[in-house]
Amino acid sequence: MTDYIYSRVSTKEQNTQSQANELLELYPNAIVFEEKKSAKAMVDRPVFQELLATVKADDRIIVRELSRIGRNTKQVLELFEELEAKKVAVHIKEMDLDSTTATGKMVLTVMASVSQMERELLLERQRAGIEEAKQAGKYKGKQQSIKTIKACDEAINLITKMGYSKMKAAKASGISIATLYRYLSAENITI
């Protein structure tokens, strides 16, 4: 029997290490799989897919919370059925839940639907907040990163000082032409 810790965060700015360290204290011999990827679709998470290909009968996957596996009730329940068929257990630390028991299966079903509901409510609140901000004229959309702003400024410099075309300047700066045009429009720059 081998224990595998699956530690996942949704964005590249977040850190998986705190989840892994917390679980390693309880399972010091576990093998850790860490991933920085959204939970939207399990098939789009290569590290998770690698873990699923690695586990075999009598192994155990350990996660801090159910949402680390997924938030889609149907996908989560299908995954647990597949793992049960392979005789692979899942332990969810925050609920002290074992997927191989009757109680664990029942609680898992309820918690998977609650997790999906939380995600849907979050998206509803986000959409409502964006709509409210738009109506108030305060919504600016996704803000560009400092890296993108610097690249756009570099492209503008190439255009104005070196005579590059916008397309050539964008490519040389490592951004798309659409990103450059959005930046120029947002900053009211005409070149």
Side-chain angles (χ1 to χ4, degrees):
M1 176 179 144
T2 305
D3 284 336
Y4 295 93
I5 291 172
Y6 179 64
S7 173
R8 183 187 63 78
V9 292
S10 300
T11 67
K12 291 181 179 169
E13 291 78 28
Q14 294 173 316
N15 190 335
T16 58
Q17 201 58 51
S18 64
Q19 285 178 45
N21 288 343
E22 179 182 331
L23 295 172
L24 279 169
E25 285 182 23
L26 301 170
Y27 308 95
N29 298 320
I31 298 167
V32 178
F33 282 72
E34 295 179 274
E35 185 157 49
K36 294 184 178 191
K37 197 82 167 168
S38 171
K40 287 181 185 174
M42 289 182 204
V43 295
D44 294 335
R45 290 188 267 149
V47 174
F48 190 62
Q49 293 304 314
E50 180 185 345
L51 171 60
L52 294 178
T54 302
V55 292
K56 55 190 180 312
D58 298 324
D59 287 347
R60 180 169 54 175
I61 297 173
I62 303 159
V63 293
R64 185 169 69 186
E65 55 204 42
L66 180 60
S67 64
R68 300 305 85 206
I69 291 176
R71 293 183 180 268
N72 179 299
T73 305
K74 183 179 176 194
Q75 285 181 357
V76 169
L77 295 177
E78 286 173 354
L79 170 70
F80 277 84
E81 281 182 19
E82 287 174 34
L83 292 172
E84 182 179 11
K86 285 177 77 171
K87 296 186 176 12
V88 173
V90 177
H91 183 80
I92 301 168
K93 182 200 173 273
E94 78 171 353
M95 296 185 283
D96 196 24
L97 179 101
D98 183 344
S99 68
T100 61
T101 66
T103 303
K105 290 174 190 175
M106 187 275 302
V107 171
L108 174 68
T109 303
V110 172
M111 293 310 295
S113 62
V114 169
S115 187
Q116 180 173 338
M117 181 193 71
E118 286 176 342
R119 173 82 176 137
E120 290 170 1
L121 288 173
L122 174 91
L123 292 173
E124 283 178 17
R125 287 191 301 268
Q126 182 182 31
R127 283 190 294 271
I130 288 171
E131 191 55 41
E132 196 174 293
K134 281 181 179 177
Q135 289 176 359
K138 296 179 181 178
Y139 182 72
K140 296 181 181 181
K142 181 181 175 186
Q143 301 300 301
Q144 293 180 332
S145 69
I146 293 171
K147 181 180 174 185
T148 301
I149 292 169
K150 286 180 180 179
C152 289
D153 289 339
E154 179 184 324
I156 292 168
N157 191 36
L158 291 172
I159 294 165
T160 58
K161 294 194 169 125
M162 304 294 288
Y164 279 40
S165 69
K166 289 177 186 165
M167 179 67 82
K168 188 175 177 183
K171 188 173 183 175
S173 301
I175 55 173
S176 70
I177 188 69
T179 298
L180 179 58
Y181 275 117
R182 275 193 301 275
Y183 181 78
L184 293 172
S185 175
E187 299 296 319
N188 293 319
I189 299 172
T190 307
I191 51 173

